[in-house]
Amino acid sequence: MKRLSSIRRIPGVALLLVAAALSAQDLVPYADQSVVSKEAWLWNDDERIAARFDPVKIRERAAAVAPTLSSSSRAPDEAQGLRYMAGGCRVNGATVDYSYSSGTAFGRYPLRLTAISNFSDGNVSITAKACSGTGVCAQNSANMNRFTPSPGTASSTIYATWLEEDEGSEELGPVYIPRSASYSHGIRQLYTTTVFTCSEIGESSHYQVKDSLVTISGQDPMPVWGSTVEVRGTISWWISYRLTESANPVGCTFPVICSSKAGGVAGAFGYAPSVHEVVSPFTIDGQAAVITNGSVDITFQ
Amino acid sequence: MKATLNLMMLIGISAAGYAAMIADGAYRDRLVAQSDTGKVLYRMIACDDHLLSAADCHACEQQRLARRIHQKWIATAAKMYSVVLTTDEQAIVAQKISAEEGHFRAAAAHFHALASAALDIRCGKDRTALLPELAKQGVTPQELDLELLHLPTIADAERAAATDYVSATRESAREYNTRLYVLQHLQAIVRKRALDERVPLDVAEESFWSEIARAIHTRIVDPAFSMPERKGILVSP
């Protein structure tokens, strides 16, 4: 739980903003035809100086290394002395915090988004704007899409055997004989996917594991049972929670009786998280039953 | 003088404890219900869950009593109406039993470990020393204590340890899977009766089970409990 709360404080996602070669033709304004028409190696000193200090040319050169929301682009050559300042990052129109990370071949601007779990389903637009030291700016946009599909499911048949007192005989007294029954055991695991049109470092928000609903169904006698769910993910690498009586149990048709339990956490994230559910204890008529297939697993990939 | 006094106090405490134990034993042995097919003693249905309220515990006991009586009625009805599974049904039961073979062995190993430990303890071995080995086999101290309650003498424990739990577990699964089909056959009988007598299904079912209950002289001896419902077993109540 402590780990979870710390996760909520850190950015839900960090986007890698890489200053890269950008073919932003709309950022290239008018240029001196006399200079452009000549090959560079034919320029004289005056023409070289004019091109070097021409504000249009300066913007043109800067635009070539303006930021883009892509991790596949090439890095700028910092040796050229081009350092970038982010002009601002906006998520769904609202400015969000960011930081600049230097010291690598990339210029990185991790966005400090609020926890992904705070975003509802649908599209979220993310716009990043960066400016050069000379005041040339460029911007790029990406989208984050949240989607809640049908729950993941897994099931098994629980075989249960317990001991029950039988009358026995007059001379030997009562005997304890095994009784058996089988039950359907199923889990419906809610989850939400998050996909970015730009890169997401680690893709840890890819799956958000939410509530679990476990149902055991069978015929009389029904067990008194408990259930624990363990979720493993790349951020919240291990979370365990106990299920309680479901407020919205699964309905069954006579003579089948259903018993449902539910529970969950809001922030179990991971790239390919797995859910492991274990039924325990499992008692029938006050007797602990020996059960087989008391656990089910779901892996999101 | 002081030693004599201490001895007398010890005897007094032991006697009180023994009397309580006897009283508790008699309480648990009391007859709750009976029929021609057997008796139901209180300990067979007792609710030992101290977390439950008295009312919940009693409801639990009443439910267990109902299940035991219903099982006797179902077995009697199957005999009375000569219910036999069809070949297909028998094949499905056999298939299910075959699929559970691994479970039978695991359950048998568990029960055998429990019975063997109970026998060891009845023969004088230290309970605490046995617990680590039992834990490896998934046996809890609570289960062991319950087993010891079930097996109060060496003879009882020997009989339990010598039980072929694989066969007994397999047989219990066969009974369970067979009973599911027996219920369907009995349901068909009740449906036909409802149709013939032009009465609702629940009325036909109540009449059906009343006949069975009377046939085996089912009666509730302990006034704290009541006769179970005679409907809702075959058709939706």
Side-chain angles (χ1 to χ4, degrees), chain A residues 159-167 169-170 172-176 178-183 218-221 254-255 284-288 290-292, chain B residues 37-39 43-44 64 67-68 71 99-100 103 107 110-111 143 146-147 150 156 159 165 168-169 172-173 175-176 180 183 232-237:
Chain A
Y159 301 130
T161 302
W162 66 102
L163 293 176
E164 188 175 277
E165 184 182 331
D166 196 59
E167 230 182 320
S169 59
E170 283 289 329
L172 294 174
V175 290
Y176 288 84
R179 294 283 186 210
S180 294
S182 52
Y183 303 89
Q219 294 190 30
D220 184 63
F254 181 88
I284 299 171
D285 283 353
Q287 304 290 320
V290 178
I291 62 169
T292 301
Chain B
T37 55
K39 295 172 184 171
R43 65 165 183 266
M44 293 177 176
R64 288 176 190 173
R67 189 174 69 76
R68 282 194 174 247
Q71 278 181 347
E100 291 184 46
H103 169 71
H110 187 92
F111 296 139
E143 274 183 283
L146 196 63
E147 186 78 351
H150 291 165
D156 291 332
R159 199 148 43 102
Y165 283 110
T169 305
S172 70
E175 270 177 32
Y176 169 77
L180 297 180
L183 287 170
I233 304 165
L234 301 172
V235 293
S236 182

Side-chain angles (χ1 to χ4, degrees), chain B residues 145-207:
Chain B
D145 290 342
L146 196 63
E147 186 78 351
L148 287 168
L149 193 71
H150 291 165
L151 307 172
T153 66
I154 292 178
D156 291 332
E158 276 177 340
R159 199 148 43 102
T163 303
D164 179 357
Y165 283 110
V166 177
S167 297
T169 305
R170 190 184 294 121
E171 196 48 45
S172 70
R174 192 185 309 280
E175 270 177 32
Y176 169 77
N177 286 293
T178 302
R179 190 165 60 243
L180 297 180
Y181 285 111
V182 167
L183 287 170
Q184 288 180 19
H185 286 269
L186 294 178
Q187 190 188 51
I189 292 168
V190 169
R191 281 185 188 282
K192 186 173 181 304
R193 182 182 282 200
L195 207 64
D196 292 346
E197 295 173 7
R198 295 182 180 183
V199 292
L201 270 176
D202 60 333
V203 173
E205 184 181 14
E206 191 164 25
S207 154

Side-chain angles (χ1 to χ4, degrees), chain B residues 125-134:
Chain B
K125 274 197 182 172
D126 180 25
R127 174 185 174 278
T128 319
L130 295 171
L131 290 177
E133 191 55 38
L134 287 173

